[in-house]
């Protein structure tokens, strides 16, 4: 087998054989195929696509590049959720303990933010003492003791994807549906969950900008999960405006704790409950009532146990940014648009996100929204508050916010967009 013939096959719109796929993933993982050769192949895949057989084989080869976790010793059924990423998407934080409080075991391997979307681990690391890096044994201990665990994926899980994802990130080849689907699903299948709910985001703040693309990604991932014996469903959810009222690490932890305490913004609560019901159904626990577990404090109890088991202090004060700057409402009326992508970029520029994997993030940085689309607003009142430790960033963040919102005098032209746009199973 030689790599140039593999690249030529895809460049010339051919189908890669099973043998070509197995060989190229293995050779790349072990350094026998160079980064420049793999980036040529990734670009050929982005431009010419892969069929269902090729995607399934590519995913299987990435799973086989590393270890598979085994949760069969647990007495509870396992359920996991994966979001394709968005702005203000803090749902994993209340969701994992909520579903655990309803009887499932929730092993949630999560990532860090890159670009304008936040990462679950960065958010949780704003809790003093909390640790993202656990050994497989520690992960099982937290899962057994608390019912849910949120931690970083170990180096042994789908190492081919780890290498390939880092390469795609710097070669303009992230946005290929076969590569996104195989990347996400190889990690989830190797993780060993019995059921999986996918939250596929659609809109300006998401990878998928249109419903058609999101449907294609969702059905590809549902097919891959199902073929590997993982009960998989996908919700397509709106990411044209941020979720909730905060984007930024500690700000989002605070909002998640509000949800666990029975409050919080309606869109965050609704989506958390909808995803919880899907996870419980997929895990065979459809009789459980997640709304009750939020209201009676049992989800909060699991959260506190989970945070403490990972070294965090659930009662510690969260970090706050040293400086704030307020953007006011330009004219009275109804807020008809508030763009997710722009808010994500502003939060990132304020220090909540990173440009390179090794960059640090500011725990307190981010954006607080004082209104959501559909709300009445009054001229001169606060619309957004920007938070950062480094005030020299305000100007750069404000440059991202020049055409982020529309206010209509009457609101008659406003049409609300539901949070859940479709379901694929
Ligand atoms: N998240 C992943 O894990 N992989 C991708 O390719 C895109 C988003």
């Amino acid at each position: 087998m030689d790599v140039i013939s593999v690249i030529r096959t895809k460049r010339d719109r051919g189908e890669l054989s099973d043998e070509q796929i197995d060989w190229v993933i293995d050779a790349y993982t072990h350094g026998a195929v160079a980064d420049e050769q793999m980036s040529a192949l990734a670009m050929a895949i982005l431009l010419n696509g892969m069929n269902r057989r090729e995607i399934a084989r590519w995913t299987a080869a990435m799973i086989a590049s590393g270890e598979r976790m085994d949760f069969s010793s647990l007495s509870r059924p396992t359920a996991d959720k994966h979001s394709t990423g968005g702005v203000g998407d803090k749902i994993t934080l209340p969701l994992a303990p909520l579903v655990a409080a309803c009887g499932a075991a929730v092993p949630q391997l999560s990532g860090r933010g890159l670009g304008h979307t936040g990462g679950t681990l960065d958010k949780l690391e704003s809790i003093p003492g909390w640790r993202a890096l656990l050994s497989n044994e520690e992960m099982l201990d937290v899962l057994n003791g608390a019912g849910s665990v949120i931690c970083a994926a170990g180096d042994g899980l789908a190492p081919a994807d780890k290498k390939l994802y880092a390469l795609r990130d710097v070669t303009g080849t992230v946005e290929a549906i076969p590569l996104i689907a195989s990347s996400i699903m190889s990690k989830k299948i190797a993780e060993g969950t019995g059921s999986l709910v996918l939250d596929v985001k659609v809109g300006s703040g998401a990878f998928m900008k249109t419903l058609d693309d999101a449907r294609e990604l969702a059905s590809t991932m549902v097919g891959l999960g199902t073929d590997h014996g993982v009960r998989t469903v996908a919700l397509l959810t709106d990411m044209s405006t941020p979720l909730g009222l905060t984007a930024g690490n500690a700000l989002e932890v605070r909002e998640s704790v509000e949800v666990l305490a029975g409050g919080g913004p309606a869109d965050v609560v609704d989506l958390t409950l909808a995803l919880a019901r899907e996870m419980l159904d997929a895990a065979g626990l459809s009789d459980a009532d997640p709304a009750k577990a939020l209201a009676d404090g049992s989800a909060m109890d699991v959260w506190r146990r989970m945070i403490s088991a990972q070294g965090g202090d659930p009662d510690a004060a969260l970090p706050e940014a040293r400086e704030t700057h307020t953007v006011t409402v330009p004219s009275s009326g109804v807020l008809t648009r508030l763009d997710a992508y722009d808010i994500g970029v502003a939060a990132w520029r304020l220090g909540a996100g990173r440009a390179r994997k090794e960059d640090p993030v500011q725990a307190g940085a981010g954006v607080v929204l004082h209104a959501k689309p559909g709300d009445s607003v009054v001229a001169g009142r606060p619309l957004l508050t920007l938070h950062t430790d480094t005030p020299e960033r305000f100007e750069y963040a404000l440059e991202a916010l020049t055409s982020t919102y529309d206010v209509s005098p009457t609101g008659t032209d406003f049409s609300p967009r539901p949070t859940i746009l479709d379901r694929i199973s």
Side-chain angles (χ1 to χ4, degrees), residues 71-390:
F71 295 125
S72 56
S73 63
L74 296 173
S75 53
R76 298 156 160 228
T78 45
D80 193 3
K81 163 308 290 202
H82 180 85
S83 160
T84 55
V87 178
D89 184 3
K90 71 272 300 169
I91 301 289
T92 297
L93 276 57
L95 181 66
L98 172 59
V99 173
C102 293
V106 187
Q108 184 77 59
L109 298 183
S110 297
R112 294 178 193 283
L114 193 64
H116 74 280
T117 64
T120 297
L121 301 181
D122 294 329
K123 293 171 201 189
L124 285 167
E125 276 175 348
S126 62
I127 300 173
W130 187 86
R131 280 191 305 126
L133 290 176
L134 303 180
S135 67
N136 288 357
E137 292 70 36
E138 286 176 313
M139 181 187 176
L140 263 179
D141 281 351
V142 179
L143 198 52
N144 265 316
S148 60
V149 60
I150 304 175
C151 61
D155 285 342
L157 207 79
D161 176 64
K162 215 163 241 144
K163 225 177 145 186
L164 180 56
Y165 188 75
L167 184 73
R168 287 166 54 214
D169 200 40
V170 293
T171 55
T173 51
V174 168
E175 297 89 345
I177 287 176
L179 295 179
I180 298 176
S182 54
S183 164
I184 292 172
M185 294 307 292
S186 61
K187 285 172 286 202
K188 290 292 161 184
I189 295 165
E191 169 203 290
T193 185
S195 55
L196 175 66
V197 176
L198 297 161
D199 181 2
V200 178
K201 301 279 179 210
V202 194
S204 71
F207 278 128
M208 297 292 117
K209 309 291 180 201
T210 68
L211 256 180
D212 281 351
D213 281 350
R215 276 202 190 96
E216 188 185 334
L217 176 63
S219 52
T220 306
M221 292 195 290
V222 168
L224 286 171
T226 309
D227 290 350
H228 281 89
V230 181
R231 288 177 299 281
T232 310
V233 299
L235 295 185
L236 270 50
T237 69
D238 183 45
M239 188 32 70
S240 59
T241 202
L243 257 176
L245 294 168
T246 55
N249 301 310
L251 294 168
E252 293 190 48
V253 172
R254 186 165 304 126
E255 194 168 65
S256 304
V257 173
E258 280 166 28
V259 171
L260 288 162
D267 58 345
V268 179
V269 175
D270 291 351
L271 184 54
T272 303
L273 287 174
L275 289 165
R277 289 192 185 103
E278 293 287 354
M279 287 169 76
L280 292 165
D281 276 354
L285 296 165
S286 359
D287 290 344
D289 181 357
K292 181 166 168 291
L294 266 191
D296 68 13
S298 48
M300 178 70 100
D301 292 343
V302 176
W303 162 264
R304 295 176 61 82
R305 283 205 298 276
M306 176 181 79
I307 296 300
S308 305
Q310 291 179 238
D313 177 356
D315 297 313
L318 290 165
E320 286 185 32
R322 283 196 284 274
E323 306 281 341
T324 60
H325 174 93
T326 303
V327 175
T328 54
V329 176
S331 58
S332 295
V334 172
L335 185 69
T336 53
R337 188 181 65 87
L338 186 60
D339 186 75
Y341 178 74
D342 289 355
I343 299 288
V345 172
W348 174 38
R349 290 182 179 181
L350 289 164
R354 52 171 71 77
R356 292 171 312 158
K357 274 204 253 333
E358 49 285 357
D359 292 347
V361 295
Q362 288 184 23
V367 180
V368 173
L369 321 181
H370 298 283
K372 298 273 283 185
D375 289 348
S376 296
V377 290
V378 177
R381 294 262 177 88
L383 177 61
L384 306 170
T385 305
L386 315 189
H387 294 240
T388 186
D389 291 334
T390 37

